[in-house]
PDB file of all heavy atoms in Angstrom:
ATOM      1  N   TRP W   1      -0.130 -70.593 -17.913  1.00 76.00           N
ATOM      2  CA  TRP W   1       0.554 -69.377 -18.044  1.00 76.00           C
ATOM      3  C   TRP W   1       1.776 -69.191 -17.106  1.00 76.00           C
ATOM      4  O   TRP W   1       2.857 -68.837 -17.461  1.00 76.00           O
ATOM      5  CB  TRP W   1      -0.444 -68.248 -17.795  1.00 76.00           C
ATOM      6  CG  TRP W   1       0.188 -66.864 -18.033  1.00 76.00           C
ATOM      7  CD1 TRP W   1       0.447 -66.299 -19.188  1.00 76.00           C
ATOM      8  CD2 TRP W   1       0.587 -65.955 -17.102  1.00 76.00           C
ATOM      9  NE1 TRP W   1       0.879 -65.107 -19.152  1.00 76.00           N
ATOM     10  CE2 TRP W   1       1.046 -64.772 -17.820  1.00 76.00           C
ATOM     11  CE3 TRP W   1       0.655 -65.947 -15.706  1.00 76.00           C
ATOM     12  CZ2 TRP W   1       1.593 -63.750 -17.169  1.00 76.00           C
ATOM     13  CZ3 TRP W   1       1.098 -64.887 -15.134  1.00 76.00           C
ATOM     14  CH2 TRP W   1       1.600 -63.762 -15.818  1.00 76.00           C
ATOM     15  N   ASN W   2       1.575 -69.740 -15.720  1.00 80.00           N
ATOM     16  CA  ASN W   2       2.719 -69.641 -14.814  1.00 80.00           C
ATOM     17  C   ASN W   2       3.904 -70.390 -15.227  1.00 80.00           C
ATOM     18  O   ASN W   2       4.979 -70.105 -15.024  1.00 80.00           O
ATOM     19  CB  ASN W   2       2.113 -70.100 -13.468  1.00 80.00           C
ATOM     20  CG  ASN W   2       1.358 -69.039 -12.902  1.00 80.00           C
ATOM     21  OD1 ASN W   2       1.387 -67.964 -13.092  1.00 80.00           O
ATOM     22  ND2 ASN W   2       0.390 -69.558 -11.907  1.00 80.00           N
ATOM     23  N   ALA W   3       3.630 -71.612 -15.841  1.00 79.00           N
ATOM     24  CA  ALA W   3       4.894 -72.388 -16.276  1.00 79.00           C
ATOM     25  C   ALA W   3       5.504 -71.776 -17.441  1.00 79.00           C
ATOM     26  O   ALA W   3       6.775 -71.774 -17.466  1.00 79.00           O
ATOM     27  CB  ALA W   3       4.372 -73.736 -16.805  1.00 79.00           C
ATOM     28  N   ARG W   4       4.818 -71.037 -18.393  1.00 80.00           N
ATOM     29  CA  ARG W   4       5.503 -70.361 -19.401  1.00 80.00           C
ATOM     30  C   ARG W   4       6.383 -69.228 -18.909  1.00 80.00           C
ATOM     31  O   ARG W   4       7.391 -68.843 -19.267  1.00 80.00           O
ATOM     32  CB  ARG W   4       4.543 -69.763 -20.418  1.00 80.00           C
ATOM     33  CG  ARG W   4       4.184 -70.827 -21.448  1.00 80.00           C
ATOM     34  CD  ARG W   4       3.457 -70.257 -22.553  1.00 80.00           C
ATOM     35  NE  ARG W   4       2.019 -70.795 -22.314  1.00 80.00           N
ATOM     36  CZ  ARG W   4       1.088 -70.276 -22.935  1.00 80.00           C
ATOM     37  NH1 ARG W   4       1.074 -69.143 -23.601  1.00 80.00           N
ATOM     38  NH2 ARG W   4      -0.155 -70.913 -22.802  1.00 80.00           N
ATOM     39  N   VAL W   5       5.669 -68.437 -17.927  1.00 80.00           N
ATOM     40  CA  VAL W   5       6.508 -67.324 -17.343  1.00 80.00           C
ATOM     41  C   VAL W   5       7.826 -67.867 -16.584  1.00 80.00           C
ATOM     42  O   VAL W   5       8.809 -67.241 -16.681  1.00 80.00           O
ATOM     43  CB  VAL W   5       5.454 -66.422 -16.284  1.00 80.00           C
ATOM     44  CG1 VAL W   5       6.268 -65.510 -15.530  1.00 80.00           C
ATOM     45  CG2 VAL W   5       4.467 -65.866 -17.232  1.00 80.00           C
ATOM     46  N   ASN W   6       7.483 -68.938 -15.723  1.00 83.00           N
ATOM     47  CA  ASN W   6       8.633 -69.425 -15.038  1.00 83.00           C
ATOM     48  C   ASN W   6       9.733 -69.899 -15.962  1.00 83.00           C
ATOM     49  O   ASN W   6      10.915 -69.693 -15.628  1.00 83.00           O
ATOM     50  CB  ASN W   6       8.236 -70.705 -14.176  1.00 83.00           C
ATOM     51  CG  ASN W   6       9.005 -70.940 -13.070  1.00 83.00           C
ATOM     52  OD1 ASN W   6      10.012 -70.189 -12.759  1.00 83.00           O
ATOM     53  ND2 ASN W   6       8.932 -72.063 -12.524  1.00 83.00           N
ATOM     54  N   ARG W   7       9.528 -70.595 -17.122  1.00 87.00           N
ATOM     55  CA  ARG W   7      10.469 -70.961 -17.990  1.00 87.00           C
ATOM     56  C   ARG W   7      11.134 -69.893 -18.722  1.00 87.00           C
ATOM     57  O   ARG W   7      12.354 -69.915 -18.788  1.00 87.00           O
ATOM     58  CB  ARG W   7       9.788 -71.765 -19.137  1.00 87.00           C
ATOM     59  CG  ARG W   7      10.148 -73.247 -18.995  1.00 87.00           C
ATOM     60  CD  ARG W   7       9.621 -74.075 -20.131  1.00 87.00           C
ATOM     61  NE  ARG W   7       9.153 -75.341 -19.803  1.00 87.00           N
ATOM     62  CZ  ARG W   7       8.624 -76.174 -20.343  1.00 87.00           C
ATOM     63  NH1 ARG W   7       8.031 -75.951 -21.676  1.00 87.00           N
ATOM     64  NH2 ARG W   7       8.212 -77.464 -19.970  1.00 87.00           N
ATOM     65  N   SER W   8      10.444 -68.825 -19.105  1.00 85.00           N
ATOM     66  CA  SER W   8      11.042 -67.629 -19.673  1.00 85.00           C
ATOM     67  C   SER W   8      11.952 -66.981 -18.726  1.00 85.00           C
ATOM     68  O   SER W   8      12.986 -66.456 -19.112  1.00 85.00           O
ATOM     69  CB  SER W   8      10.030 -66.812 -20.366  1.00 85.00           C
ATOM     70  OG  SER W   8       9.116 -66.254 -19.420  1.00 85.00           O
ATOM     71  N   PHE W   9      11.458 -66.804 -17.427  1.00 87.00           N
ATOM     72  CA  PHE W   9      12.447 -66.204 -16.451  1.00 87.00           C
ATOM     73  C   PHE W   9      13.587 -66.943 -16.219  1.00 87.00           C
ATOM     74  O   PHE W   9      14.663 -66.319 -16.159  1.00 87.00           O
ATOM     75  CB  PHE W   9      11.620 -66.064 -15.077  1.00 87.00           C
ATOM     76  CG  PHE W   9      12.324 -65.500 -14.011  1.00 87.00           C
ATOM     77  CD1 PHE W   9      12.665 -64.094 -13.976  1.00 87.00           C
ATOM     78  CD2 PHE W   9      12.942 -66.356 -13.029  1.00 87.00           C
ATOM     79  CE1 PHE W   9      13.372 -63.563 -12.916  1.00 87.00           C
ATOM     80  CE2 PHE W   9      13.645 -65.713 -11.948  1.00 87.00           C
ATOM     81  CZ  PHE W   9      13.878 -64.342 -11.980  1.00 87.00           C
ATOM     82  N   CYS W  10      13.559 -68.284 -16.155  1.00 86.00           N
ATOM     83  CA  CYS W  10      14.697 -69.235 -16.052  1.00 86.00           C
ATOM     84  C   CYS W  10      15.596 -68.959 -17.259  1.00 86.00           C
ATOM     85  O   CYS W  10      16.905 -68.812 -16.962  1.00 86.00           O
ATOM     86  CB  CYS W  10      14.324 -70.564 -15.854  1.00 86.00           C
ATOM     87  SG  CYS W  10      13.701 -70.755 -14.144  1.00 86.00           S
ATOM     88  N   ALA W  11      15.083 -69.018 -18.433  1.00 87.00           N
ATOM     89  CA  ALA W  11      15.906 -68.921 -19.609  1.00 87.00           C
ATOM     90  C   ALA W  11      16.618 -67.444 -19.663  1.00 87.00           C
ATOM     91  O   ALA W  11      17.800 -67.478 -20.086  1.00 87.00           O
ATOM     92  CB  ALA W  11      15.090 -69.011 -20.816  1.00 87.00           C
ATOM     93  N   GLY W  12      15.849 -66.513 -19.216  1.00 87.00           N
ATOM     94  CA  GLY W  12      16.567 -65.118 -19.156  1.00 87.00           C
ATOM     95  C   GLY W  12      17.650 -65.117 -18.180  1.00 87.00           C
ATOM     96  O   GLY W  12      18.649 -64.426 -18.502  1.00 87.00           O
ATOM     97  N   MET W  13      17.450 -65.566 -16.929  1.00 87.00           N
ATOM     98  CA  MET W  13      18.414 -65.524 -15.985  1.00 87.00           C
ATOM     99  C   MET W  13      19.671 -66.357 -16.490  1.00 87.00           C
ATOM    100  O   MET W  13      20.775 -66.019 -16.205  1.00 87.00           O
ATOM    101  CB  MET W  13      17.883 -66.131 -14.666  1.00 87.00           C
ATOM    102  CG  MET W  13      16.962 -65.189 -13.966  1.00 87.00           C
ATOM    103  SD  MET W  13      17.714 -63.533 -13.658  1.00 87.00           S
ATOM    104  CE  MET W  13      18.883 -63.895 -12.421  1.00 87.00           C
ATOM    105  N   LEU W  14      19.507 -67.515 -17.033  1.00 87.00           N
ATOM    106  CA  LEU W  14      20.576 -68.296 -17.569  1.00 87.00           C
ATOM    107  C   LEU W  14      21.231 -67.577 -18.658  1.00 87.00           C
ATOM    108  O   LEU W  14      22.422 -67.735 -18.597  1.00 87.00           O
ATOM    109  CB  LEU W  14      19.946 -69.627 -18.164  1.00 87.00           C
ATOM    110  CG  LEU W  14      20.926 -70.560 -18.725  1.00 87.00           C
ATOM    111  CD1 LEU W  14      21.915 -71.002 -17.504  1.00 87.00           C
ATOM    112  CD2 LEU W  14      20.216 -71.791 -19.269  1.00 87.00           C
ATOM    113  N   GLY W  15      20.552 -66.852 -19.506  1.00 83.00           N
ATOM    114  CA  GLY W  15      21.279 -65.938 -20.413  1.00 83.00           C
ATOM    115  C   GLY W  15      22.174 -64.886 -19.799  1.00 83.00           C
ATOM    116  O   GLY W  15      23.210 -64.669 -20.236  1.00 83.00           O
ATOM    117  N   VAL W  16      21.544 -64.286 -18.883  1.00 79.00           N
ATOM    118  CA  VAL W  16      22.447 -63.137 -18.095  1.00 79.00           C
ATOM    119  C   VAL W  16      23.577 -63.752 -17.473  1.00 79.00           C
ATOM    120  O   VAL W  16      24.687 -63.319 -17.562  1.00 79.00           O
ATOM    121  CB  VAL W  16      21.446 -62.488 -17.146  1.00 79.00           C
ATOM    122  CG1 VAL W  16      22.327 -61.635 -16.162  1.00 79.00           C
ATOM    123  CG2 VAL W  16      20.365 -61.662 -17.781  1.00 79.00           C
ATOM    124  N   ILE W  17      23.431 -64.832 -16.707  1.00 84.00           N
ATOM    125  CA  ILE W  17      24.551 -65.600 -16.209  1.00 84.00           C
ATOM    126  C   ILE W  17      25.630 -65.960 -17.158  1.00 84.00           C
ATOM    127  O   ILE W  17      26.807 -65.853 -16.970  1.00 84.00           O
ATOM    128  CB  ILE W  17      24.198 -66.745 -15.258  1.00 84.00           C
ATOM    129  CG1 ILE W  17      23.403 -66.204 -14.131  1.00 84.00           C
ATOM    130  CG2 ILE W  17      25.316 -67.576 -14.851  1.00 84.00           C
ATOM    131  CD1 ILE W  17      22.634 -67.252 -13.284  1.00 84.00           C
ATOM    132  N   ALA W  18      25.192 -66.616 -18.269  1.00 78.00           N
ATOM    133  CA  ALA W  18      26.109 -67.064 -19.298  1.00 78.00           C
ATOM    134  C   ALA W  18      26.794 -65.878 -19.971  1.00 78.00           C
ATOM    135  O   ALA W  18      28.091 -65.894 -20.173  1.00 78.00           O
ATOM    136  CB  ALA W  18      25.293 -67.810 -20.402  1.00 78.00           C
ATOM    137  N   SER W  19      26.137 -64.751 -20.245  1.00 74.00           N
ATOM    138  CA  SER W  19      26.876 -63.583 -20.802  1.00 74.00           C
ATOM    139  C   SER W  19      27.776 -62.965 -19.828  1.00 74.00           C
ATOM    140  O   SER W  19      28.851 -62.551 -20.269  1.00 74.00           O
ATOM    141  CB  SER W  19      25.813 -62.584 -21.201  1.00 74.00           C
ATOM    142  OG  SER W  19      25.152 -62.032 -20.205  1.00 74.00           O
ATOM    143  N   ALA W  20      27.511 -62.977 -18.479  1.00 68.00           N
ATOM    144  CA  ALA W  20      28.409 -62.428 -17.478  1.00 68.00           C
ATOM    145  C   ALA W  20      29.635 -63.389 -17.438  1.00 68.00           C
ATOM    146  O   ALA W  20      30.712 -62.793 -17.120  1.00 68.00           O
ATOM    147  CB  ALA W  20      27.650 -62.322 -16.227  1.00 68.00           C
ATOM    148  N   ALA W  21      29.422 -64.716 -17.511  1.00 68.00           N
ATOM    149  CA  ALA W  21      30.550 -65.528 -17.413  1.00 68.00           C
ATOM    150  C   ALA W  21      31.454 -65.610 -18.652  1.00 68.00           C
ATOM    151  O   ALA W  21      32.659 -65.677 -18.499  1.00 68.00           O
ATOM    152  CB  ALA W  21      29.983 -66.994 -17.210  1.00 68.00           C
ATOM    153  N   LEU W  22      30.921 -65.222 -19.741  1.00 66.00           N
ATOM    154  CA  LEU W  22      31.649 -65.315 -21.034  1.00 66.00           C
ATOM    155  C   LEU W  22      32.456 -63.860 -21.342  1.00 66.00           C
ATOM    156  O   LEU W  22      33.274 -63.951 -22.010  1.00 66.00           O
ATOM    157  CB  LEU W  22      30.874 -65.623 -22.158  1.00 66.00           C
ATOM    158  CG  LEU W  22      30.209 -66.983 -22.186  1.00 66.00           C
ATOM    159  CD1 LEU W  22      29.333 -67.317 -23.246  1.00 66.00           C
ATOM    160  CD2 LEU W  22      31.397 -68.047 -22.166  1.00 66.00           C
ATOM    161  N   THR W  23      31.974 -62.854 -20.628  1.00 64.00           N
ATOM    162  CA  THR W  23      32.695 -61.540 -20.906  1.00 64.00           C
ATOM    163  C   THR W  23      33.976 -61.426 -20.184  1.00 64.00           C
ATOM    164  O   THR W  23      34.729 -60.536 -20.597  1.00 64.00           O
ATOM    165  CB  THR W  23      31.686 -60.472 -20.502  1.00 64.00           C
ATOM    166  OG1 THR W  23      31.346 -60.496 -19.159  1.00 64.00           O
ATOM    167  CG2 THR W  23      30.470 -60.390 -21.377  1.00 64.00           C
ATOM    168  N   GLY W  24      34.153 -62.018 -19.106  1.00 61.00           N
ATOM    169  CA  GLY W  24      35.384 -61.943 -18.331  1.00 61.00           C
ATOM    170  C   GLY W  24      35.423 -60.760 -17.316  1.00 61.00           C
ATOM    171  O   GLY W  24      34.377 -60.190 -17.027  1.00 61.00           O
ATOM    172  N   CYS W  25      36.553 -60.351 -16.939  1.00 67.00           N
ATOM    173  CA  CYS W  25      36.740 -59.384 -15.798  1.00 67.00           C
ATOM    174  C   CYS W  25      37.252 -58.027 -16.285  1.00 67.00           C
ATOM    175  O   CYS W  25      37.407 -57.169 -15.535  1.00 67.00           O
ATOM    176  CB  CYS W  25      37.608 -59.851 -14.724  1.00 67.00           C
ATOM    177  SG  CYS W  25      37.089 -61.318 -13.909  1.00 67.00           S
ATOM    178  N   GLN W  26      37.530 -57.863 -17.623  1.00 65.00           N
ATOM    179  CA  GLN W  26      38.095 -56.598 -18.118  1.00 65.00           C
ATOM    180  C   GLN W  26      37.110 -55.566 -18.266  1.00 65.00           C
ATOM    181  O   GLN W  26      35.979 -55.837 -18.431  1.00 65.00           O
ATOM    182  CB  GLN W  26      38.793 -56.893 -19.381  1.00 65.00           C
ATOM    183  CG  GLN W  26      40.065 -57.795 -19.278  1.00 65.00           C
ATOM    184  CD  GLN W  26      40.814 -57.809 -20.709  1.00 65.00           C
ATOM    185  OE1 GLN W  26      40.149 -57.637 -21.638  1.00 65.00           O
ATOM    186  NE2 GLN W  26      41.983 -58.186 -20.548  1.00 65.00           N
ATOM    187  N   THR W  27      37.691 -54.330 -17.847  1.00 64.00           N
ATOM    188  CA  THR W  27      36.767 -53.094 -18.129  1.00 64.00           C
ATOM    189  C   THR W  27      37.564 -52.140 -19.055  1.00 64.00           C
ATOM    190  O   THR W  27      38.777 -52.214 -19.175  1.00 64.00           O
ATOM    191  CB  THR W  27      36.401 -52.536 -16.759  1.00 64.00           C
ATOM    192  OG1 THR W  27      37.571 -52.136 -16.131  1.00 64.00           O
ATOM    193  CG2 THR W  27      35.560 -53.396 -15.923  1.00 64.00           C
ATOM    194  N   ASN W  28      36.852 -51.248 -19.644  1.00 68.00           N
ATOM    195  CA  ASN W  28      37.458 -50.225 -20.447  1.00 68.00           C
ATOM    196  C   ASN W  28      37.020 -48.837 -19.891  1.00 68.00           C
ATOM    197  O   ASN W  28      35.898 -48.496 -19.899  1.00 68.00           O
ATOM    198  CB  ASN W  28      37.035 -50.497 -21.769  1.00 68.00           C
ATOM    199  CG  ASN W  28      37.726 -49.555 -22.772  1.00 68.00           C
ATOM    200  OD1 ASN W  28      38.547 -48.760 -22.401  1.00 68.00           O
ATOM    201  ND2 ASN W  28      37.448 -49.690 -24.117  1.00 68.00           N
ATOM    202  N   MET W  29      37.989 -48.221 -19.324  1.00 69.00           N
ATOM    203  CA  MET W  29      37.884 -46.772 -18.773  1.00 69.00           C
ATOM    204  C   MET W  29      38.925 -45.852 -19.309  1.00 69.00           C
ATOM    205  O   MET W  29      40.023 -46.101 -19.105  1.00 69.00           O
ATOM    206  CB  MET W  29      37.916 -46.914 -17.213  1.00 69.00           C
ATOM    207  CG  MET W  29      36.918 -47.796 -16.594  1.00 69.00           C
ATOM    208  SD  MET W  29      36.989 -47.785 -14.836  1.00 69.00           S
ATOM    209  CE  MET W  29      36.392 -46.187 -14.441  1.00 69.00           C
ATOM    210  N   GLY W  30      38.344 -44.735 -19.920  1.00 81.00           N
ATOM    211  CA  GLY W  30      39.320 -43.822 -20.408  1.00 81.00           C
ATOM    212  C   GLY W  30      40.322 -44.222 -21.409  1.00 81.00           C
ATOM    213  O   GLY W  30      41.427 -43.818 -21.536  1.00 81.00           O
ATOM    214  N   GLY W  31      39.892 -45.188 -22.201  1.00 82.00           N
ATOM    215  CA  GLY W  31      40.643 -45.668 -23.254  1.00 82.00           C
ATOM    216  C   GLY W  31      41.650 -46.833 -22.778  1.00 82.00           C
ATOM    217  O   GLY W  31      42.512 -47.349 -23.559  1.00 82.00           O
ATOM    218  N   GLN W  32      41.724 -47.053 -21.577  1.00 78.00           N
ATOM    219  CA  GLN W  32      42.558 -48.155 -21.027  1.00 78.00           C
ATOM    220  C   GLN W  32      41.798 -49.451 -20.737  1.00 78.00           C
ATOM    221  O   GLN W  32      40.693 -49.363 -20.328  1.00 78.00           O
ATOM    222  CB  GLN W  32      43.197 -47.677 -19.628  1.00 78.00           C
ATOM    223  CG  GLN W  32      44.280 -46.661 -19.847  1.00 78.00           C
ATOM    224  CD  GLN W  32      44.793 -46.368 -18.375  1.00 78.00           C
ATOM    225  OE1 GLN W  32      44.061 -46.275 -17.324  1.00 78.00           O
ATOM    226  NE2 GLN W  32      46.284 -46.375 -18.325  1.00 78.00           N
ATOM    227  N   THR W  33      42.358 -50.571 -21.141  1.00 76.00           N
ATOM    228  CA  THR W  33      41.779 -51.736 -20.769  1.00 76.00           C
ATOM    229  C   THR W  33      42.277 -52.189 -19.471  1.00 76.00           C
ATOM    230  O   THR W  33      43.441 -52.575 -19.320  1.00 76.00           O
ATOM    231  CB  THR W  33      41.985 -52.979 -21.695  1.00 76.00           C
ATOM    232  OG1 THR W  33      41.551 -52.427 -23.031  1.00 76.00           O
ATOM    233  CG2 THR W  33      41.293 -54.239 -21.484  1.00 76.00           C
ATOM    234  N   LEU W  34      41.484 -52.221 -18.482  1.00 70.00           N
ATOM    235  CA  LEU W  34      42.007 -52.570 -17.100  1.00 70.00           C
ATOM    236  C   LEU W  34      41.648 -54.063 -16.714  1.00 70.00           C
ATOM    237  O   LEU W  34      40.474 -54.503 -17.145  1.00 70.00           O
ATOM    238  CB  LEU W  34      41.192 -51.647 -16.118  1.00 70.00           C
ATOM    239  CG  LEU W  34      41.400 -50.083 -16.374  1.00 70.00           C
ATOM    240  CD1 LEU W  34      40.613 -49.355 -15.456  1.00 70.00           C
ATOM    241  CD2 LEU W  34      42.914 -49.854 -16.252  1.00 70.00           C
ATOM    242  N   PRO W  35      42.430 -54.592 -16.047  1.00 72.00           N
ATOM    243  CA  PRO W  35      42.287 -56.164 -15.881  1.00 72.00           C
ATOM    244  C   PRO W  35      41.155 -56.538 -14.972  1.00 72.00           C
ATOM    245  O   PRO W  35      40.564 -57.547 -15.013  1.00 72.00           O
ATOM    246  CB  PRO W  35      43.628 -56.613 -15.321  1.00 72.00           C
ATOM    247  CG  PRO W  35      44.274 -55.391 -14.667  1.00 72.00           C
ATOM    248  CD  PRO W  35      43.782 -54.119 -15.540  1.00 72.00           C
ATOM    249  N   SER W  36      40.995 -55.698 -13.836  1.00 68.00           N
ATOM    250  CA  SER W  36      39.915 -56.133 -12.876  1.00 68.00           C
ATOM    251  C   SER W  36      39.253 -54.799 -12.305  1.00 68.00           C
ATOM    252  O   SER W  36      39.780 -53.747 -12.464  1.00 68.00           O
ATOM    253  CB  SER W  36      40.541 -56.985 -11.875  1.00 68.00           C
ATOM    254  OG  SER W  36      41.356 -56.213 -11.018  1.00 68.00           O
TER     255      SER W  36
END
């Protein structure tokens, strides 16, 4: 059970890091796309 939890935790963290890296630095506030 510990190995499965550890693997799923690592896969989840890898997914979070990948999604953060692929989204870029732009934000959208008040209808404006801001660069950083």
